[in-house]
Amino acid sequence: MEKELVSVIMPTYNASQFLADSIESVLSQTYTNLELLITDDCSSDETQNILQKYAQKDSRVKVEYLKENFGPGIARNKSIEQAQGRYIAFCDCDDRWLPEKLEKQIAHMTRKDCALCSSSYYICDENNQVTGINISPKHLTFSMMKRDNKIGCLTAIYDIKRLGHKFYMPAIRKRQDWALFLNIMKECQICFCVTEPLAYYRQRQNSVSSNKLSLVKYNVDVYQTVFGYTEVRAYFHFLFSFMPAYLLKVLKRRRDSKRYLQHR
């Protein structure tokens, strides 16, 4: 039986240092029936030159260029619009996949008959040194995800056929991935996870996501955008639901990372 097409969504912005490795990790998948849809968010470094070379080299690479910098959510949505595959997968321009990622996750989705899947992943630094690990549970429920985002975007795959239509990133500047997964799980209620690590998440110094305090507003925005909460109610949920769940997640990740690094 012919494998279904997977549309891989990759936003880029001034990513020349890591971009080639990210693209190669997608094109080197053992699951070869894929298209890599890249939307560049008005880069000013060598990113666009790298993209042009890969688009000429491999017909599976399809590139769009934005004339202004709109943020990764808009860039991802531009690629999702162009997607032709049954499955939508995400990989950022500084992250990497293991070669069997797609094959193992698509097989898992078929076994579980599920519409949303994620996996565990390694955490690495700017020099590709593994510094930790994030181990997923076997499944995530909507109520678990409402408390805190537990899906690494670089591991997420959703099935358009099972859901009935495409899902897009909501129009917020940050945390669009969490909002997207919540909207998907409103319909499917559960995300089945591969507990084996299948990707490398790059933790960069001075990145927006590394400054957690700066993201408070955007986490609150998710509650307002997805659930229609008032600002007061959104902050209430952030303080008394999100924060306890987030702190527990961080403690678990540190514990798991310490155990993993000790036994490497």
Tab-separated table of all heavy atoms in Angstrom, residues 212-234:
chain	number	residue	atom	x	y	z
A	212	LYS	N	11.172	32.919	30.289
A	212	LYS	CA	9.815	32.484	30.623
A	212	LYS	C	8.943	33.629	31.128
A	212	LYS	O	7.731	33.641	30.880
A	212	LYS	CB	9.873	31.358	31.665
A	212	LYS	CG	10.669	30.139	31.220
A	212	LYS	CD	10.163	29.581	29.909
A	212	LYS	CE	10.958	28.353	29.476
A	212	LYS	NZ	10.559	27.867	28.144
A	213	LEU	N	9.525	34.603	31.829
A	213	LEU	CA	8.726	35.703	32.339
A	213	LEU	C	8.104	36.510	31.201
A	213	LEU	O	6.972	37.001	31.313
A	213	LEU	CB	9.587	36.616	33.225
A	213	LEU	CG	9.946	36.072	34.609
A	213	LEU	CD1	10.863	37.038	35.332
A	213	LEU	CD2	8.690	35.810	35.439
A	214	SER	N	8.845	36.635	30.094
A	214	SER	CA	8.333	37.405	28.966
A	214	SER	C	7.154	36.722	28.290
A	214	SER	O	6.428	37.339	27.511
A	214	SER	CB	9.436	37.654	27.935
A	214	SER	OG	9.793	36.449	27.271
A	215	LEU	N	6.941	35.439	28.584
A	215	LEU	CA	5.878	34.681	27.932
A	215	LEU	C	4.577	34.650	28.739
A	215	LEU	O	3.593	34.066	28.282
A	215	LEU	CB	6.340	33.245	27.680
A	215	LEU	CG	7.462	33.084	26.646
A	215	LEU	CD1	7.921	31.638	26.600
A	215	LEU	CD2	7.008	33.541	25.268
A	216	VAL	N	4.566	35.268	29.914
A	216	VAL	CA	3.366	35.238	30.755
A	216	VAL	C	2.162	35.752	29.986
A	216	VAL	O	1.099	35.122	29.952
A	216	VAL	CB	3.577	36.060	32.047
A	216	VAL	CG1	2.234	36.226	32.779
A	216	VAL	CG2	4.594	35.382	32.952
A	217	LYS	N	2.308	36.913	29.359
A	217	LYS	CA	1.204	37.517	28.617
A	217	LYS	C	0.671	36.581	27.544
A	217	LYS	O	-0.546	36.483	27.339
A	217	LYS	CB	1.654	38.825	27.978
A	217	LYS	CG	0.611	39.475	27.077
A	217	LYS	CD	1.163	40.692	26.382
A	217	LYS	CE	0.121	41.338	25.463
A	217	LYS	NZ	-0.317	40.414	24.392
A	218	TYR	N	1.590	35.883	26.860
A	218	TYR	CA	1.168	35.027	25.755
A	218	TYR	C	0.460	33.769	26.257
A	218	TYR	O	-0.443	33.255	25.590
A	218	TYR	CB	2.377	34.673	24.886
A	218	TYR	CG	3.032	35.899	24.296
A	218	TYR	CD1	4.269	36.331	24.735
A	218	TYR	CD2	2.385	36.644	23.315
A	218	TYR	CE1	4.864	37.472	24.202
A	218	TYR	CE2	2.958	37.774	22.775
A	218	TYR	CZ	4.208	38.186	23.225
A	218	TYR	OH	4.770	39.315	22.698
A	219	ASN	N	0.858	33.262	27.413
A	219	ASN	CA	0.137	32.136	28.000
A	219	ASN	C	-1.294	32.555	28.379
A	219	ASN	O	-2.249	31.799	28.171
A	219	ASN	CB	0.874	31.622	29.244
A	219	ASN	CG	2.153	30.881	28.899
A	219	ASN	OD1	2.174	30.078	27.981
A	219	ASN	ND2	3.224	31.156	29.621
A	220	VAL	N	-1.415	33.755	28.925
A	220	VAL	CA	-2.740	34.280	29.251
A	220	VAL	C	-3.563	34.470	27.982
A	220	VAL	O	-4.766	34.188	27.950
A	220	VAL	CB	-2.604	35.616	30.032
A	220	VAL	CG1	-3.979	36.284	30.184
A	220	VAL	CG2	-1.978	35.361	31.396
A	221	ASP	N	-2.912	34.924	26.900
A	221	ASP	CA	-3.601	35.107	25.625
A	221	ASP	C	-4.236	33.802	25.134
A	221	ASP	O	-5.299	33.830	24.497
A	221	ASP	CB	-2.622	35.611	24.560
A	221	ASP	CG	-2.335	37.098	24.696
A	221	ASP	OD1	-3.037	37.773	25.470
A	221	ASP	OD2	-1.394	37.581	24.031
A	222	VAL	N	-3.582	32.682	25.403
A	222	VAL	CA	-4.133	31.391	24.971
A	222	VAL	C	-5.483	31.151	25.631
A	222	VAL	O	-6.446	30.737	24.964
A	222	VAL	CB	-3.153	30.238	25.297
A	222	VAL	CG1	-3.828	28.886	25.070
A	222	VAL	CG2	-1.898	30.344	24.437
A	223	TYR	N	-5.580	31.390	26.933
A	223	TYR	CA	-6.858	31.185	27.623
A	223	TYR	C	-7.942	32.115	27.076
A	223	TYR	O	-9.107	31.724	26.959
A	223	TYR	CB	-6.679	31.407	29.126
A	223	TYR	CG	-5.943	30.280	29.823
A	223	TYR	CD1	-4.692	30.480	30.390
A	223	TYR	CD2	-6.508	29.007	29.897
A	223	TYR	CE1	-4.016	29.448	31.026
A	223	TYR	CE2	-5.847	27.966	30.527
A	223	TYR	CZ	-4.593	28.189	31.085
A	223	TYR	OH	-3.922	27.167	31.692
A	224	GLN	N	-7.557	33.335	26.730
A	224	GLN	CA	-8.544	34.267	26.184
A	224	GLN	C	-8.943	33.893	24.757
A	224	GLN	O	-10.122	33.979	24.389
A	224	GLN	CB	-7.983	35.695	26.214
A	224	GLN	CG	-7.788	36.236	27.624
A	224	GLN	CD	-7.259	37.661	27.627
A	224	GLN	OE1	-6.081	37.904	27.379
A	224	GLN	NE2	-8.124	38.614	27.903
A	225	THR	N	-7.961	33.464	23.944
A	225	THR	CA	-8.220	33.169	22.532
A	225	THR	C	-8.971	31.859	22.350
A	225	THR	O	-9.946	31.777	21.594
A	225	THR	CB	-6.898	33.115	21.751
A	225	THR	OG1	-6.225	34.373	21.870
A	225	THR	CG2	-7.143	32.813	20.276
A	226	VAL	N	-8.528	30.806	23.030
A	226	VAL	CA	-9.103	29.477	22.827
A	226	VAL	C	-10.403	29.293	23.602
A	226	VAL	O	-11.359	28.693	23.086
A	226	VAL	CB	-8.083	28.379	23.236
A	226	VAL	CG1	-8.707	26.995	23.116
A	226	VAL	CG2	-6.833	28.473	22.369
A	227	PHE	N	-10.458	29.821	24.821
A	227	PHE	CA	-11.618	29.569	25.678
A	227	PHE	C	-12.531	30.791	25.843
A	227	PHE	O	-13.602	30.679	26.440
A	227	PHE	CB	-11.157	29.090	27.055
A	227	PHE	CG	-10.374	27.809	27.004
A	227	PHE	CD1	-8.991	27.814	27.130
A	227	PHE	CD2	-11.012	26.595	26.799
A	227	PHE	CE1	-8.267	26.638	27.065
A	227	PHE	CE2	-10.294	25.407	26.737
A	227	PHE	CZ	-8.922	25.430	26.867
A	228	GLY	N	-12.103	31.940	25.337
A	228	GLY	CA	-12.916	33.142	25.445
A	228	GLY	C	-13.002	33.703	26.854
A	228	GLY	O	-13.959	34.415	27.189
A	229	TYR	N	-12.010	33.394	27.698
A	229	TYR	CA	-12.023	33.881	29.074
A	229	TYR	C	-11.807	35.392	29.120
A	229	TYR	O	-11.110	35.963	28.273
A	229	TYR	CB	-10.920	33.207	29.892
A	229	TYR	CG	-11.137	31.737	30.196
A	229	TYR	CD1	-10.116	30.983	30.777
A	229	TYR	CD2	-12.342	31.108	29.927
A	229	TYR	CE1	-10.298	29.639	31.062
A	229	TYR	CE2	-12.531	29.770	30.216
A	229	TYR	CZ	-11.499	29.039	30.783
A	229	TYR	OH	-11.688	27.712	31.063
A	230	THR	N	-12.369	36.031	30.135
A	230	THR	CA	-12.032	37.424	30.411
A	230	THR	C	-10.582	37.483	30.886
A	230	THR	O	-9.989	36.464	31.266
A	230	THR	CB	-12.931	37.993	31.502
A	230	THR	OG1	-12.697	37.269	32.729
A	230	THR	CG2	-14.405	37.901	31.119
A	231	GLU	N	-10.025	38.674	30.897
A	231	GLU	CA	-8.632	38.812	31.325
A	231	GLU	C	-8.449	38.348	32.762
A	231	GLU	O	-7.474	37.662	33.089
A	231	GLU	CB	-8.177	40.261	31.172
A	231	GLU	CG	-6.699	40.465	31.478
A	231	GLU	CD	-6.230	41.879	31.213
A	231	GLU	OE1	-7.094	42.747	30.941
A	231	GLU	OE2	-5.017	42.131	31.272
A	232	VAL	N	-9.390	38.689	33.625
A	232	VAL	CA	-9.301	38.287	35.038
A	232	VAL	C	-9.340	36.768	35.168
A	232	VAL	O	-8.521	36.165	35.878
A	232	VAL	CB	-10.440	38.930	35.855
A	232	VAL	CG1	-10.470	38.345	37.277
A	232	VAL	CG2	-10.260	40.437	35.916
A	233	ARG	N	-10.287	36.137	34.479
A	233	ARG	CA	-10.404	34.680	34.550
A	233	ARG	C	-9.176	34.006	33.947
A	233	ARG	O	-8.712	32.976	34.449
A	233	ARG	CB	-11.662	34.208	33.841
A	233	ARG	CG	-11.944	32.723	34.034
A	233	ARG	CD	-13.226	32.296	33.350
A	233	ARG	NE	-13.488	30.883	33.556
A	233	ARG	CZ	-14.471	30.207	32.980
A	233	ARG	NH1	-15.302	30.833	32.144
A	233	ARG	NH2	-14.626	28.910	33.219
A	234	ALA	N	-8.636	34.586	32.874
A	234	ALA	CA	-7.450	34.020	32.226
A	234	ALA	C	-6.248	34.056	33.171
A	234	ALA	O	-5.505	33.074	33.278
A	234	ALA	CB	-7.150	34.779	30.945
